[in-house]
Amino acid sequence: MDSIASPAALQGVRVIEMGQLIAGPFCGKTLGEFGAEVIKIEAPEGGDPLRNWRLIKEGTSVWWQVQSRNKRSVALDLRQKEGQDIARRLIAEADVLIENFRPGTLEGWGMSPQELHALNPGLVMLRISGYGQTGPYRDLPGFGAIGEAMGGLRHLTGEPGRVPVRVGVSIGDTLTALHGAIGVLTALYHRKVNGGQGQVIDVALHEAVFNVMESLIPEYSAFGAVREAAGSALPGIAPSNAYPCTDGWVLVAGNGDSIFKRLMDAIGRPDLGAAPDLANNAGRVARVEEIDAAIGAWSAQRTVQQVLHALGAARVPAGKVYTAKDIAEDPHYRARDMLLTQHTRDGYSVEVPGIVPKLSATPGTIRSSAPHLGDDTDAVLAEAGLTAEQIALLRSKGVIQ
């Protein structure tokens, strides 16, 4: 590799982030990790609510330390006309605007796509909402959990016949953020390579979830089949399930034809591995309960590590169910820089997730820790051309902090 450091992949891209909580800010986080300058606009009264979500250390959520690294914080009241004027001034010099307000909010502030594109024709505008900018549900409030339900995910998550459960993280918001990032990068490429102008990217929470629902709709369309919750199993693909051990559970994916034979040899059931009707997936699905019982009977007599050792030697995909402690102590995570120490502005250090994906020439980096509310207000406004006197006057009016 060249000894001269390459510029960051998104160096020179300026992003204005108006979102809060998860979906919009996760997209901003992703762009920021690969070199984009992300200016986060927050309300002066408390800022992004994520600052106070879940476990708090030194007055701030440790989640915030991950979600807002590589960002600059501007405390700006968008409900006031002067605040809206400043926002337009910043957007005029930006490449990307991220917002996740309810549809119509920006229009009410004089910042519709038409108005912003008249000001900045090259602006890429990412709009994240519960149901999208059009359609009969556009004005309904929507959070990630509702998007997961409408997108079809919640119906499939959990044990058959029991209450639908959440995945355990805000997967609807994160899927939406990643779809938004794809849209932003696609639009920036089009603008640069094809000579295109800016455009609006409309991402709805439920549509981002629906987009990863695999064969859900084709199966209903072709067969009238409504897929149901199946617990830890993978319906229609066998064997793939969670199996008990003496000290926990293991996930085993033995659903490839040759893998299945190796799995059956490993558990002492070569008779099943050699059965002609189990040589393909369709036959195994028909006898999945018998296969699962055989695997479970074998694993239940062994520890998790014994099972993983045996299946690893047989080249059968298997894994334990990791907790946070397991992740923190795992050498593979550390070998791939997926656990990084981040120094916070509150004076302590904390381990945080590393950066995904990994680029060979322009890898993502943590250039700065998550800001306190309004840390960069004065600097950003000065860069935008405001004088010290103008900034002081705006502060006296409560427009900025």
Side-chain angles (χ1 to χ4, degrees):
M1 185 178 292
D2 197 314
S3 60
I4 300 175
S6 300
L10 297 180
Q11 183 174 312
V13 174
R14 172 173 278 203
V15 178
I16 305 299
E17 180 190 298
M18 284 185 174
Q20 62 179 19
L21 295 177
I22 305 172
F26 192 95
C27 179
K29 163 190 174 294
T30 303
L31 299 175
E33 287 171 345
F34 290 95
E37 177 193 8
V38 181
I39 298 173
K40 181 177 182 64
I41 295 179
E42 303 182 70
E45 308 87 9
D48 190 327
L50 192 75
R51 290 178 175 275
N52 299 304
W53 274 25
R54 293 191 57 79
L55 301 186
I56 307 297
K57 187 174 178 66
E58 302 297 335
T60 304
S61 166
V62 291
W63 186 356
W64 174 260
Q65 306 299 343
V66 182
Q67 188 85 314
S68 296
R69 61 195 186 193
N70 296 328
K71 297 181 184 181
R72 306 173 77 188
S73 173
V74 173
L76 178 65
D77 190 349
L78 293 172
R79 297 167 300 178
Q80 297 193 47
K81 183 181 182 304
E82 293 96 329
Q84 296 161 13
D85 290 341
I86 293 172
R88 278 189 287 269
R89 191 163 180 164
L90 296 177
I91 292 168
E93 301 299 322
D95 297 287
V96 179
L97 170 64
I98 299 172
E99 67 98 357
N100 62 352
F101 299 115
R102 191 179 299 187
T105 300
L106 281 189
E107 284 80 355
W109 292 339
M111 287 184 270
S112 68
Q114 295 77 13
E115 290 167 307
L116 293 181
H117 280 141
L119 186 68
N120 181 353
L123 181 69
V124 172
M125 188 174 179
L126 171 59
R127 311 196 73 178
I128 291 175
S129 61
Y131 302 96
Q133 303 297 315
T134 61
Y137 301 162
R138 72 180 291 270
D139 295 323
L140 295 177
F143 268 20
I146 311 305
E148 293 163 23
M150 187 175 177
L153 179 62
R154 287 293 182 104
H155 183 69
L156 302 184
T157 309
E159 297 292 334
R162 304 193 67 178
V163 61
V165 298
R166 73 189 302 267
V167 171
V169 293
S170 305
I171 193 69
D173 289 291
T174 308
L175 284 172
T176 303
L178 294 176
H179 280 85
I182 292 169
V184 166
L185 296 175
T186 302
L188 288 174
Y189 179 91
H190 173 64
R191 193 185 72 179
K192 181 174 182 178
V193 176
N194 300 325
Q197 294 293 302
Q199 57 183 299
V200 176
I201 303 160
D202 180 2
V203 183
L205 286 160
H206 74 284
E207 291 172 352
V209 173
F210 178 61
N211 194 37
V212 300
M213 294 307 294
E214 301 174 349
S215 62
L216 187 75
I217 287 299
E219 289 174 0
Y220 177 74
S221 176
F223 304 103
V226 177
R227 186 169 169 178
E228 301 291 344
S232 62
L234 186 57
I237 300 174
S240 183
N241 213 329
Y243 302 94
C245 299
T246 59
D247 59 348
W249 295 82
V250 291
L251 275 293
V252 179
N255 43 285
D257 294 345
S258 59
I259 296 174
F260 175 71
K261 291 182 179 180
R262 296 198 299 272
L263 172 59
M264 292 301 101
D265 286 342
I267 70 170
R269 293 298 305 270
D271 57 310
L272 293 177
D277 63 325
L278 299 181
N280 58 60
N281 184 67
R284 293 193 294 271
V285 170
R287 294 174 62 182
V288 65
E289 292 183 3
E290 178 185 357
I291 295 170
D292 278 346
I295 301 171
W298 173 79
S299 66
Q301 301 174 41
R302 292 162 174 81
T303 67
V304 168
Q305 287 305 320
Q306 288 172 331
V307 169
L308 293 179
H309 178 76
L311 297 187
R315 305 192 318 280
V316 174
K320 67 180 291 184
V321 180
Y322 273 46
T323 66
K325 183 175 184 292
D326 294 321
I327 291 172
E329 296 175 353
D330 189 281
H332 190 75
Y333 270 87
R334 296 196 179 278
R336 290 184 52 80
D337 291 329
M338 283 311 302
L339 293 167
L340 302 177
T341 298
Q342 188 169 307
H343 303 287
T344 72
R345 300 192 191 187
D346 293 314
Y348 67 91
S349 296
V350 63
E351 282 200 329
V352 295
I355 297 170
V356 180
K358 300 189 179 302
L359 278 64
S360 61
T362 55
T365 59
I366 301 175
R367 302 181 307 283
S368 63
S369 56
H372 293 135
L373 178 61
D375 264 358
D376 306 285
T377 301
D378 288 20
V380 170
L381 296 191
E383 292 166 9
L386 276 71
T387 66
E389 291 75 16
Q390 290 173 316
I391 293 172
L393 180 59
L394 289 168
R395 182 165 284 114
S396 70
K397 293 182 177 180
V399 177
I400 63 173
Q401 176 178 305

